[in-house]
Amino acid sequence: MRKIGILAALALSVNLSGFAQQRSEQNHAERFEQLGTMLRSPNVYRTASGAPGHMYWQQQANYIIEVELNDDNQSIKGSEKITYVNNSPDQLTYLWVQLEQNQRGKDSETPKGTESSISPRMTLTQLQGILWHTDDYAYQVLDVKGKDGTPLKVAINQTMMRVDLPTPLKSGESFEFAIDWSFNIHDRTGFIGGRPGYEYFAGDGNYLYTMAEWFPRMAVYSDFEGWQNKQFLGSGEFALAFGNYEVHITVPADHMVGATGELQNPEEVLSSAELDRWNTAKKTFDKPVVIRTQAEAEKLEKSKATAKKTWKFKAQNVRDFAWTSSRKFIWDAMAVKQGGKDVMAMSYYAKEANPLWGQYSTRVVAHTIKSYSAHTFDYPYPTAISVEAANGMEYPMICFNYGRPDSDGTYSEAIKNGMISVIIHEVGHNFFPMIVNSDERQWTWMDEGLNTFMQFMAEQEWDRNYPSRRGPAHKIVPYMRSEKNLLEPIMTNSENIIQFGPNAYAKPATALNILRETVMGRELFDYAFKEYARRWMFKHPTPEDLFRTMEDASAVDLDWFWRGWFYGTEAVDISIENVAWYKMDNRTPSQKAADEKKVADLEETYVSRSKNMTDIKETYVEADPATKDFYATYDPFQVTPADEESYKKFMAGLSAKEKELLNSNLNFYEVKFRNEGGLVMPIILEWTFADGTTEMEKIPVEIWRKNETEVTKVFAKQKEVKRLVLDPNRETADIDESSNYWPREMMPSRFEMYKRSGGVRGAASGSNPMKEAKK
C-alpha cells in the first residue's frame, strides 16, 4: 500500500492522461470507427434508419398446385400454375425458377464440389456419399407452358431454371404460366440425407413422407440484388417470394396429411369421429385433443388402402409450402389465444415417438407461439404444426422435428430436452425467416442466429434452469478459441462457412444475448428488436436493415459491436494486468515522521543483518572524527516549527469539501486492463471487500476508444478490497478466465479417469435413468 497527498494524486492523473494519449497513437486499430461504406447505401427502398423506404417493393408469386403421392414406388407427380406479379419498377425479360430437387440428382454439383477422404474404418453410408448414386432423384419431367398452352423456352442450369418470356413483363403487370413435373423421393435417413424425403419403417412396412422443396418455386427478385439465382448446394437454404397457395394433395385414403395453411375439406377426408374431435380441439385451450389415436393409427398400419383421397389446403401470404403424409400418424391439436384470434397448435407423429410426443410436442408448439410473439409480433398464421420425422427443418406453419424415445418407450433427459429444443427452434422459424423473410442463401445467420437467440429465451421460459446449449456467453468460448484458419466472420456466405453450427447459429445468438444483457440492457434491446421484427414482417430485410434499426430505435452506437462480432474473428480476452492500492495522506507532520522512522529502522535492521556489515569491524568515518559534519548528528525525522507551520497553512487553505475528501479515508485502486483478444467489450467487475460484502460495477465499452490495447482506471472505494473479479457471471465470452482475478487464482482443468471398457458417464451424456429404473 502506498499513500499519496492531494497534489501528488493530481499530478498522477495528469501523467497518466498524457501517457494514455501517447500510447493510443500506437494502439488504435479502428475498432470504434463507423461501418460507413461496409454497409449498403440507404435509398428510397431502404432508409438510413433501417426501415423500408417510401418506395419499397417486392414481388409476389401465387400458386395453384395439384400433386399426387405414389406410395408404391415413392414418387410424386404434380402440376402447378404460377401467377408472377412484377411489383418492381423494372421491366423483366425472363424469370428464374428454383429446382432444389436437382441437387439430389446423379449429376449434382454438390458431391463434385465436396471434399472426401478414406479412413481405415468407414460405414456404408460414408462410402455411398463418396460414390454418390446411380438413381436419379432430380426432376424427371419438366414441361413449362404459357397461359395459352404454348411451350415456353427454358434453360436449366443445375438447380436454377430460366424461363424466357414471350414479351417483356412491365412494371405492375403479371405473368401466368404452368409447370408439370415428377421425381422419385429419396430416403432422407440414408446417405443423401437432407431435409425432405421419406423414412421407411421395416417393422410394419410403412413410409412417413416429409415433402419440402418439392415443387418448382420462384426465385426472389429484389431491390438490393436483382435475381437471387445462386445455386443450391445444400447448406445455404432459401430465398423465396411471398404469395397465396391453393394446393390439392392426393394420397392413399388411409393416410393422414398435414400441411402449410388451412384444411379446406375436413368433411371429405376425416372420419366422423375425427371430425368431431377436430371441432372439439378448436375449442380446447388447456390441453391437446387427440384426433387420430395411436390405436387407430396402429390398425391402419396393418393394411394399405387402394382408394385415394385428396386433401385441399389454402395458405395466404406465405413464402413456401410443405406437407407430410403417412398412415402411421397420430394427430393431436389444441387452440391457442394469440393476437385476438385462435391459432391451432398441432402435432403429427408415429407410435415410435410416444410417449414423448403425446405429452410434450403440441404444448411446446403453443408455448413457442406465445414466447416468440411476446418478443416480436403476434403470430399471424392460423396453424402451427410439429411433425416427428427424425429430422429438423422448418417451413411456413409446419416443421419436421426429431426426438424419438427408445423402443421400450423410455428416454434420457438429453433426448427429451433435445426434442423440446428442436420443436421450439423449428416452430420459431415461422418468425425468422418465414415472416421476417431474410435471404438464407446469402446469410444463414439472419434466420438461424436470430432464431437461436429467440429459442434460448423461449427455453428459459419453458422450464427454470433449462440446459440451453446455445445462447449463454460462456458456451461459445470453445469456438472463439479455435485456430484462426478455422474461423470466419458471421458475415460469410452460407456455403462458405467452415464451422457451420457455431458460426451461423451459436455465435450470432450469443452476440445478441450479450447485446441484450450486457451492452444495451433488456429494455432498450427488446424495444429495438421488436421494432426490427415489426418493420420487416412479410418483407425481405438485409443485415444493414437489422443493424440500422437496432441503433435507430435505441440511440446506442453499435458499429463497434457489429464490426467486432459480425465482421471480425477476434475473441474476447481482457485481463487484469495490475492493481495498485492508494490511500489519501492526511497525517500530521509528527505522525508522518513517526511512520517514516519505523520504515527507516526496519530497513536498517535488514542491512545490519547482511554478511557485509558483520565482516566490517570499523568504517573510515568511524575511525576519523574529522570526516563528521552536521549530518552526523542530524535527526531527519525531527519535526521542525517550519514543518508544523507549513501543515497548518496547508490545512487552513482547504475548503470544507477538500477537508471532507482528505479525511474520507477512501481507498483508491488503480487497475490496469489489457485487451489480449482484440474484441472490445464492456469491463464488468465484482469487488469483494474485507468485510465480505460485494459490489458489481460495469465500465462501458467506450473506455477502449482511445487505446484499444490497454487502459487504466482508478476506482475509489470506502472499504478495503480483498478480491477483484473480471466478468464474474461469464457474460462476455472471455476465452481466458485465468487472468480475470486479483489476486491471481489457480484455475484447475478437469480430466476424467476411465477404464478401457467404458467409464460411467452421467445423465448429461445421454444415459437413460428411466430404462434402468424399469429394469
Side-chain angles (χ1 to χ4, degrees):
M1 180 181 74
R2 288 171 281 179
K3 295 201 173 187
I4 57 175
I6 290 179
L7 294 178
L10 291 175
L12 178 64
S13 176
V14 172
N15 289 339
L16 281 177
S17 298
F19 185 43
Q21 185 174 0
Q22 179 183 2
R23 287 183 304 186
S24 68
E25 296 172 359
Q26 303 170 1
N27 296 284
H28 202 286
E30 299 184 345
R31 293 181 178 90
F32 284 97
E33 297 305 313
Q34 299 297 289
L35 290 175
T37 56
M38 294 177 69
L39 302 180
R40 285 189 177 91
S41 298
N43 50 50
V44 295
Y45 310 122
R46 296 163 192 274
T47 69
S49 70
H54 68 281
M55 294 182 67
Y56 175 84
W57 56 267
Q58 63 189 36
Q59 309 290 65
Q60 183 172 346
N62 301 321
Y63 299 81
I64 298 176
I65 306 176
E66 302 273 352
V67 62
E68 182 172 345
L69 169 67
N70 189 324
D71 191 37
D72 294 326
N73 63 11
Q74 290 68 60
S75 66
I76 66 169
K77 63 179 180 179
S79 62
E80 64 183 348
K81 293 180 182 179
I82 304 175
T83 302
Y84 186 76
V85 184
N86 183 15
N87 293 319
S88 80
D90 308 324
Q91 180 174 278
L92 304 178
T93 57
Y94 49 79
L95 307 178
W96 280 103
V97 177
Q98 302 183 74
L99 307 175
E100 281 90 354
Q101 186 64 29
N102 283 358
Q103 186 259 347
R104 303 172 189 97
K106 62 182 179 181
D107 294 324
S108 171
E109 292 290 304
T110 296
K112 298 175 185 177
T114 303
E115 285 189 288
S116 57
S117 60
I118 295 292
S119 301
R121 301 178 65 189
M122 299 189 70
T123 64
L124 176 61
T125 299
Q126 290 172 325
L127 284 173
Q128 287 176 320
I130 292 174
L131 298 171
W132 201 230
H133 54 80
T134 55
D135 295 327
D136 202 339
Y137 297 105
Y139 284 109
Q140 298 300 306
V141 176
L142 273 174
D143 188 14
V144 185
K145 297 179 180 179
K147 183 178 181 180
D148 59 359
T150 303
L152 295 176
K153 183 181 179 181
V154 301
I156 297 177
N157 177 16
Q158 292 292 317
T159 61
M160 298 300 303
M161 177 172 70
R162 191 187 70 236
V163 179
D164 295 339
L165 300 176
T167 58
L169 182 62
K170 297 178 182 178
S171 177
E173 294 183 344
S174 61
F175 180 74
E176 183 178 309
F177 65 108
I179 305 176
D180 295 335
W181 79 93
S182 67
F183 64 83
N184 297 317
I185 306 169
H186 76 283
D187 180 357
R188 58 175 164 73
T189 67
F191 70 97
I192 300 178
R195 303 158 183 84
Y198 66 77
E199 179 180 2
Y200 176 67
F201 292 81
D204 52 59
N206 285 293
Y207 294 82
L208 189 159
Y209 299 90
T210 52
M211 301 310 303
E213 307 142 45
W214 56 281
F215 63 101
R217 304 179 293 178
M218 292 303 307
V220 167
Y221 183 79
S222 68
D223 63 277
F224 61 89
E225 191 175 26
W227 284 109
Q228 165 53 289
N229 53 11
K230 288 180 66 66
Q231 295 290 340
F232 177 55
L233 300 178
S235 294
E237 290 178 345
F238 314 113
L240 299 162
F242 285 106
N244 302 321
Y245 286 74
E246 183 177 336
V247 182
H248 295 177
I249 305 169
T250 301
V251 298
D254 52 0
H255 271 219
M256 177 67 71
V257 176
T260 298
E262 291 182 283
L263 180 62
Q264 301 297 299
N265 61 334
E267 297 85 357
E268 297 176 10
V269 294
L270 302 181
S271 69
S272 58
E274 290 169 344
L275 187 60
D276 287 343
R277 296 166 193 162
W278 168 240
N279 290 326
T280 299
K282 290 192 285 186
K283 298 177 289 186
T284 304
F285 297 86
D286 59 340
K287 61 182 179 181
V289 174
V290 179
I291 300 163
R292 176 173 287 182
T293 68
Q294 180 166 331
E296 291 167 340
E298 288 178 347
K299 183 178 179 181
L300 290 171
E301 287 178 346
K302 297 175 181 178
S303 61
K304 296 183 179 181
T306 56
K308 299 176 183 179
K309 285 183 179 179
T310 298
W311 298 62
K312 300 176 182 180
F313 294 88
K314 284 187 178 180
Q316 301 294 311
N317 206 16
V318 294
R319 71 169 219 164
D320 199 2
F321 192 102
W323 53 282
T324 187
S325 182
S326 180
R327 63 178 54 85
K328 292 178 64 63
F329 276 141
I330 303 162
W331 176 26
D332 69 42
M334 65 183 286
V336 182
K337 288 286 186 187
Q338 186 59 54
K341 68 178 185 304
D342 296 345
V343 177
M344 293 307 296
M346 300 186 278
S347 296
Y348 294 78
Y349 48 96
K351 65 179 184 297
E352 286 80 2
N354 263 338
L356 263 178
W357 275 66
Q359 182 175 0
Y360 288 109
S361 178
T362 298
R363 289 180 170 90
V364 176
V365 173
H367 166 71
T368 304
I369 291 171
K370 293 178 180 178
S371 175
Y372 276 61
S373 295
H375 292 288
T376 55
F377 44 75
D378 288 326
Y379 183 73
Y381 291 135
T383 63
I385 299 172
S386 170
V387 181
E388 198 286 316
N391 199 347
M393 189 56 197
E394 71 280 355
Y395 303 91
M397 298 184 239
I398 188 171
C399 56
F400 310 138
N401 306 309
Y402 59 77
R404 197 171 290 172
D406 292 342
S407 58
D408 62 359
T410 65
Y411 52 86
S412 68
E413 191 173 15
I415 290 293
K416 182 187 81 169
N417 290 334
M419 179 203 72
I420 292 170
S421 289
V422 76
I423 293 175
I424 291 174
H425 183 90
E426 306 303 349
V427 172
H429 268 305
N430 277 287
F431 293 79
F432 305 95
M434 301 303 151
I435 297 171
V436 182
N437 188 16
S438 58
D439 181 352
E440 301 174 273
R441 193 69 52 88
Q442 290 282 28
W443 306 293
T444 296
W445 71 266
M446 279 201 76
D447 74 294
E448 297 297 357
L450 270 61
N451 185 46
T452 302
F453 162 69
M454 295 286 293
Q455 172 193 341
F456 168 67
M457 292 193 291
E459 287 172 346
Q460 298 308 303
E461 294 166 0
W462 169 262
D463 193 10
R464 201 168 301 282
N465 299 317
Y466 188 92
S468 297
R469 292 193 306 117
R470 293 164 171 159
H474 67 277
K475 295 199 172 183
I476 196 64
V477 166
Y479 171 69
M480 302 293 276
R481 285 195 189 123
S482 298
E483 297 293 331
K484 289 297 183 184
N485 65 322
L486 299 178
L487 296 173
E488 63 271 298
I490 290 174
M491 290 291 290
T492 297
N493 179 265
S494 302
E495 295 292 350
N496 302 335
I497 300 171
I498 301 172
Q499 298 189 65
F500 199 81
N503 177 277
Y505 291 67
K507 187 179 178 182
T510 302
L512 291 173
N513 192 37
I514 290 173
L515 198 58
R516 182 176 191 251
E517 301 292 348
T518 303
V519 176
M520 297 175 69
R522 292 185 180 182
E523 184 176 356
L524 283 175
F525 178 94
D526 288 351
Y527 181 89
F529 190 78
K530 183 176 285 191
E531 180 68 7
Y532 165 72
R534 185 192 65 80
R535 284 177 173 181
W536 290 98
M537 61 187 301
F538 298 113
K539 295 181 176 67
H540 303 284
T542 67
E544 291 88 350
D545 301 317
L546 170 64
F547 299 157
R548 286 170 171 150
T549 296
M550 292 301 294
E551 296 189 19
D552 181 69
S554 67
V556 180
D557 183 357
L558 296 171
D559 278 25
W560 65 271
F561 188 85
W562 311 128
R563 182 185 289 275
W565 277 93
F566 287 78
Y567 288 87
T569 59
E570 292 179 326
V572 178
D573 182 10
I574 301 172
S575 68
I576 299 175
E577 288 293 291
N578 185 57
V579 179
W581 180 17
Y582 296 91
K583 295 282 287 187
M584 194 72 72
D585 193 344
N586 60 358
R587 297 170 296 176
T588 66
S590 297
Q591 292 171 330
K592 186 174 182 179
D595 289 343
E596 291 176 349
K597 188 175 187 309
K598 289 179 182 178
V599 174
D601 290 344
L602 188 60
E603 291 178 352
E604 186 175 340
T605 301
Y606 291 150
V607 173
S608 66
R609 291 175 181 170
S610 69
K611 183 177 180 181
N612 186 46
M613 291 301 295
T614 57
D615 289 347
I616 299 172
K617 303 302 180 184
E618 185 179 39
T619 67
Y620 188 92
V621 172
E622 291 169 346
D624 187 356
T627 60
K628 295 180 180 180
D629 62 1
F630 167 78
Y631 293 101
T633 58
Y634 167 71
D635 183 2
F637 302 108
Q638 181 180 355
V639 178
T640 67
D643 293 333
E644 295 285 2
E645 184 62 26
S646 177
Y647 175 76
K648 290 178 181 179
K649 186 176 181 180
F650 171 74
M651 293 298 294
L654 295 178
S655 66
K657 286 191 174 181
E658 288 173 328
K659 287 181 180 178
E660 182 182 355
L661 177 60
L662 183 64
N663 296 315
S664 64
N665 199 35
L666 285 173
N667 299 278
F668 293 88
Y669 293 90
E670 181 190 83
V671 187
K672 183 182 292 185
F673 303 95
R674 186 163 184 82
N675 181 6
E676 301 283 1
L679 186 52
V680 291
M681 287 294 286
I683 297 173
I684 306 167
L685 299 170
E686 180 183 57
W687 302 86
T688 300
F689 301 105
D691 63 1
T693 60
T694 60
E695 175 189 337
M696 294 292 295
E697 188 166 2
K698 186 169 82 171
I699 311 303
V701 71
E702 285 76 13
I703 196 171
W704 300 101
R705 280 187 177 273
K706 301 295 179 66
N707 188 332
E708 299 168 9
T709 303
E710 190 173 275
V711 295
T712 302
K713 182 77 174 175
V714 177
F715 303 87
K717 302 297 178 184
Q718 195 68 52
K719 303 174 184 178
E720 290 186 9
V721 174
K722 291 298 182 185
R723 185 174 185 255
L724 180 60
V725 182
L726 178 66
D727 192 19
N729 295 325
R730 310 178 80 188
E731 55 185 293
T732 67
D734 195 310
I735 65 170
D736 182 8
E737 296 178 330
S738 65
S739 60
N740 290 12
Y741 297 87
W742 176 82
R744 285 286 190 261
E745 295 183 7
M746 296 293 290
M747 301 293 294
S749 295
R750 304 290 182 180
F751 67 95
E752 294 183 355
M753 183 175 70
Y754 67 96
K755 294 183 178 180
R756 288 195 177 275
S757 59
V760 176
R761 305 183 65 85
S765 301
S767 63
N768 190 340
M770 289 179 67
K771 188 183 293 290
E772 296 302 316
K774 210 170 181 180
K775 292 177 181 178

PDB file of all heavy atoms in Angstrom, residues 7-23 670:
ATOM      1  N   LEU A   7      -1.895  16.779  -3.881  1.00  0.00           N
ATOM      2  CA  LEU A   7      -1.107  17.287  -5.003  1.00  0.00           C
ATOM      3  C   LEU A   7      -0.497  16.146  -5.797  1.00  0.00           C
ATOM      4  O   LEU A   7      -0.486  16.166  -7.021  1.00  0.00           O
ATOM      5  CB  LEU A   7      -0.016  18.233  -4.498  1.00  0.00           C
ATOM      6  CG  LEU A   7      -0.542  19.532  -3.864  1.00  0.00           C
ATOM      7  CD1 LEU A   7       0.630  20.353  -3.359  1.00  0.00           C
ATOM      8  CD2 LEU A   7      -1.330  20.342  -4.883  1.00  0.00           C
ATOM      9  N   ALA A   8      -0.023  15.148  -5.096  1.00  0.00           N
ATOM     10  CA  ALA A   8       0.565  14.004  -5.792  1.00  0.00           C
ATOM     11  C   ALA A   8      -0.485  13.264  -6.616  1.00  0.00           C
ATOM     12  O   ALA A   8      -0.232  12.809  -7.723  1.00  0.00           O
ATOM     13  CB  ALA A   8       1.217  13.053  -4.793  1.00  0.00           C
ATOM     14  N   ALA A   9      -1.709  13.172  -6.076  1.00  0.00           N
ATOM     15  CA  ALA A   9      -2.783  12.500  -6.809  1.00  0.00           C
ATOM     16  C   ALA A   9      -3.115  13.234  -8.093  1.00  0.00           C
ATOM     17  O   ALA A   9      -3.310  12.636  -9.144  1.00  0.00           O
ATOM     18  CB  ALA A   9      -4.030  12.399  -5.933  1.00  0.00           C
ATOM     19  N   LEU A  10      -3.185  14.560  -8.037  1.00  0.00           N
ATOM     20  CA  LEU A  10      -3.473  15.343  -9.226  1.00  0.00           C
ATOM     21  C   LEU A  10      -2.375  15.192 -10.261  1.00  0.00           C
ATOM     22  O   LEU A  10      -2.622  15.061 -11.449  1.00  0.00           O
ATOM     23  CB  LEU A  10      -3.653  16.814  -8.853  1.00  0.00           C
ATOM     24  CG  LEU A  10      -4.920  17.134  -8.037  1.00  0.00           C
ATOM     25  CD1 LEU A  10      -4.907  18.596  -7.637  1.00  0.00           C
ATOM     26  CD2 LEU A  10      -6.173  16.810  -8.822  1.00  0.00           C
ATOM     27  N   ALA A  11      -1.139  15.192  -9.794  1.00  0.00           N
ATOM     28  CA  ALA A  11      -0.014  15.034 -10.717  1.00  0.00           C
ATOM     29  C   ALA A  11      -0.060  13.669 -11.388  1.00  0.00           C
ATOM     30  O   ALA A  11       0.192  13.535 -12.580  1.00  0.00           O
ATOM     31  CB  ALA A  11       1.307  15.201  -9.974  1.00  0.00           C
ATOM     32  N   LEU A  12      -0.416  12.633 -10.609  1.00  0.00           N
ATOM     33  CA  LEU A  12      -0.510  11.284 -11.164  1.00  0.00           C
ATOM     34  C   LEU A  12      -1.560  11.228 -12.268  1.00  0.00           C
ATOM     35  O   LEU A  12      -1.356  10.658 -13.318  1.00  0.00           O
ATOM     36  CB  LEU A  12      -0.859  10.294 -10.051  1.00  0.00           C
ATOM     37  CG  LEU A  12      -1.042   8.841 -10.470  1.00  0.00           C
ATOM     38  CD1 LEU A  12       0.257   8.287 -11.015  1.00  0.00           C
ATOM     39  CD2 LEU A  12      -1.529   8.001  -9.312  1.00  0.00           C
ATOM     40  N   SER A  13      -2.718  11.894 -12.026  1.00  0.00           N
ATOM     41  CA  SER A  13      -3.775  11.907 -13.017  1.00  0.00           C
ATOM     42  C   SER A  13      -3.321  12.542 -14.314  1.00  0.00           C
ATOM     43  O   SER A  13      -3.569  12.031 -15.395  1.00  0.00           O
ATOM     44  CB  SER A  13      -4.986  12.660 -12.452  1.00  0.00           C
ATOM     45  OG  SER A  13      -5.992  12.773 -13.417  1.00  0.00           O
ATOM     46  N   VAL A  14      -2.615  13.628 -14.233  1.00  0.00           N
ATOM     47  CA  VAL A  14      -2.119  14.307 -15.426  1.00  0.00           C
ATOM     48  C   VAL A  14      -1.127  13.433 -16.170  1.00  0.00           C
ATOM     49  O   VAL A  14      -1.190  13.268 -17.380  1.00  0.00           O
ATOM     50  CB  VAL A  14      -1.470  15.661 -15.044  1.00  0.00           C
ATOM     51  CG1 VAL A  14      -0.783  16.263 -16.263  1.00  0.00           C
ATOM     52  CG2 VAL A  14      -2.518  16.618 -14.516  1.00  0.00           C
ATOM     53  N   ASN A  15      -0.229  12.807 -15.436  1.00  0.00           N
ATOM     54  CA  ASN A  15       0.788  11.974 -16.070  1.00  0.00           C
ATOM     55  C   ASN A  15       0.162  10.785 -16.796  1.00  0.00           C
ATOM     56  O   ASN A  15       0.544  10.445 -17.906  1.00  0.00           O
ATOM     57  CB  ASN A  15       1.791  11.470 -15.019  1.00  0.00           C
ATOM     58  CG  ASN A  15       2.671  12.599 -14.512  1.00  0.00           C
ATOM     59  OD1 ASN A  15       2.818  13.617 -15.182  1.00  0.00           O
ATOM     60  ND2 ASN A  15       3.245  12.429 -13.330  1.00  0.00           N
ATOM     61  N   LEU A  16      -0.835  10.155 -16.137  1.00  0.00           N
ATOM     62  CA  LEU A  16      -1.469   9.003 -16.763  1.00  0.00           C
ATOM     63  C   LEU A  16      -2.214   9.401 -18.024  1.00  0.00           C
ATOM     64  O   LEU A  16      -2.191   8.697 -19.020  1.00  0.00           O
ATOM     65  CB  LEU A  16      -2.434   8.336 -15.774  1.00  0.00           C
ATOM     66  CG  LEU A  16      -1.783   7.441 -14.719  1.00  0.00           C
ATOM     67  CD1 LEU A  16      -2.853   6.917 -13.783  1.00  0.00           C
ATOM     68  CD2 LEU A  16      -1.060   6.278 -15.367  1.00  0.00           C
ATOM     69  N   SER A  17      -2.883  10.558 -18.022  1.00  0.00           N
ATOM     70  CA  SER A  17      -3.608  11.003 -19.200  1.00  0.00           C
ATOM     71  C   SER A  17      -2.659  11.227 -20.366  1.00  0.00           C
ATOM     72  O   SER A  17      -2.918  10.839 -21.495  1.00  0.00           O
ATOM     73  CB  SER A  17      -4.380  12.286 -18.890  1.00  0.00           C
ATOM     74  OG  SER A  17      -5.342  12.057 -17.892  1.00  0.00           O
ATOM     75  N   GLY A  18      -1.533  11.836 -20.060  1.00  0.00           N
ATOM     76  CA  GLY A  18      -0.552  12.068 -21.111  1.00  0.00           C
ATOM     77  C   GLY A  18       0.015  10.784 -21.656  1.00  0.00           C
ATOM     78  O   GLY A  18       0.190  10.624 -22.865  1.00  0.00           O
ATOM     79  N   PHE A  19       0.281   9.828 -20.761  1.00  0.00           N
ATOM     80  CA  PHE A  19       0.835   8.538 -21.170  1.00  0.00           C
ATOM     81  C   PHE A  19      -0.169   7.789 -22.054  1.00  0.00           C
ATOM     82  O   PHE A  19       0.171   7.223 -23.079  1.00  0.00           O
ATOM     83  CB  PHE A  19       1.182   7.719 -19.933  1.00  0.00           C
ATOM     84  CG  PHE A  19       1.867   6.411 -20.247  1.00  0.00           C
ATOM     85  CD1 PHE A  19       2.873   6.349 -21.209  1.00  0.00           C
ATOM     86  CD2 PHE A  19       1.514   5.257 -19.577  1.00  0.00           C
ATOM     87  CE1 PHE A  19       3.507   5.147 -21.487  1.00  0.00           C
ATOM     88  CE2 PHE A  19       2.145   4.059 -19.857  1.00  0.00           C
ATOM     89  CZ  PHE A  19       3.135   4.011 -20.803  1.00  0.00           C
ATOM     90  N   ALA A  20      -1.487   7.838 -21.660  1.00  0.00           N
ATOM     91  CA  ALA A  20      -2.514   7.149 -22.436  1.00  0.00           C
ATOM     92  C   ALA A  20      -2.639   7.743 -23.826  1.00  0.00           C
ATOM     93  O   ALA A  20      -2.820   7.031 -24.808  1.00  0.00           O
ATOM     94  CB  ALA A  20      -3.860   7.224 -21.700  1.00  0.00           C
ATOM     95  N   GLN A  21      -2.535   9.088 -23.912  1.00  0.00           N
ATOM     96  CA  GLN A  21      -2.631   9.724 -25.216  1.00  0.00           C
ATOM     97  C   GLN A  21      -1.473   9.295 -26.105  1.00  0.00           C
ATOM     98  O   GLN A  21      -1.646   9.044 -27.295  1.00  0.00           O
ATOM     99  CB  GLN A  21      -2.638  11.242 -25.041  1.00  0.00           C
ATOM    100  CG  GLN A  21      -2.863  11.980 -26.348  1.00  0.00           C
ATOM    101  CD  GLN A  21      -3.001  13.467 -26.144  1.00  0.00           C
ATOM    102  OE1 GLN A  21      -2.926  13.958 -25.025  1.00  0.00           O
ATOM    103  NE2 GLN A  21      -3.208  14.190 -27.225  1.00  0.00           N
ATOM    104  N   GLN A  22      -0.295   9.182 -25.505  1.00  0.00           N
ATOM    105  CA  GLN A  22       0.872   8.771 -26.281  1.00  0.00           C
ATOM    106  C   GLN A  22       0.710   7.336 -26.774  1.00  0.00           C
ATOM    107  O   GLN A  22       0.991   7.020 -27.925  1.00  0.00           O
ATOM    108  CB  GLN A  22       2.132   8.892 -25.413  1.00  0.00           C
ATOM    109  CG  GLN A  22       3.405   8.462 -26.138  1.00  0.00           C
ATOM    110  CD  GLN A  22       4.609   8.538 -25.219  1.00  0.00           C
ATOM    111  OE1 GLN A  22       4.482   8.874 -24.055  1.00  0.00           O
ATOM    112  NE2 GLN A  22       5.771   8.230 -25.746  1.00  0.00           N
ATOM    113  N   ARG A  23       0.184   6.448 -25.933  1.00  0.00           N
ATOM    114  CA  ARG A  23       0.040   5.052 -26.313  1.00  0.00           C
ATOM    115  C   ARG A  23      -1.065   4.851 -27.336  1.00  0.00           C
ATOM    116  O   ARG A  23      -1.003   3.965 -28.165  1.00  0.00           O
ATOM    117  CB  ARG A  23      -0.263   4.200 -25.081  1.00  0.00           C
ATOM    118  CG  ARG A  23       0.930   4.015 -24.176  1.00  0.00           C
ATOM    119  CD  ARG A  23       0.568   3.114 -23.037  1.00  0.00           C
ATOM    120  NE  ARG A  23      -0.601   3.639 -22.316  1.00  0.00           N
ATOM    121  CZ  ARG A  23      -1.052   3.091 -21.203  1.00  0.00           C
ATOM    122  NH1 ARG A  23      -0.473   2.034 -20.694  1.00  0.00           N
ATOM    123  NH2 ARG A  23      -2.099   3.603 -20.577  1.00  0.00           N
ATOM    124  N   GLU A 670      -5.955   1.622  -8.483  1.00  0.00           N
ATOM    125  CA  GLU A 670      -5.591   1.873  -9.870  1.00  0.00           C
ATOM    126  C   GLU A 670      -5.432   0.524 -10.559  1.00  0.00           C
ATOM    127  O   GLU A 670      -4.517  -0.241 -10.252  1.00  0.00           O
ATOM    128  CB  GLU A 670      -4.290   2.666  -9.937  1.00  0.00           C
ATOM    129  CG  GLU A 670      -3.845   2.984 -11.355  1.00  0.00           C
ATOM    130  CD  GLU A 670      -2.448   3.561 -11.398  1.00  0.00           C
ATOM    131  OE1 GLU A 670      -1.480   2.758 -11.382  1.00  0.00           O
ATOM    132  OE2 GLU A 670      -2.315   4.788 -11.425  1.00  0.00           O
TER     133      GLU A 670
END
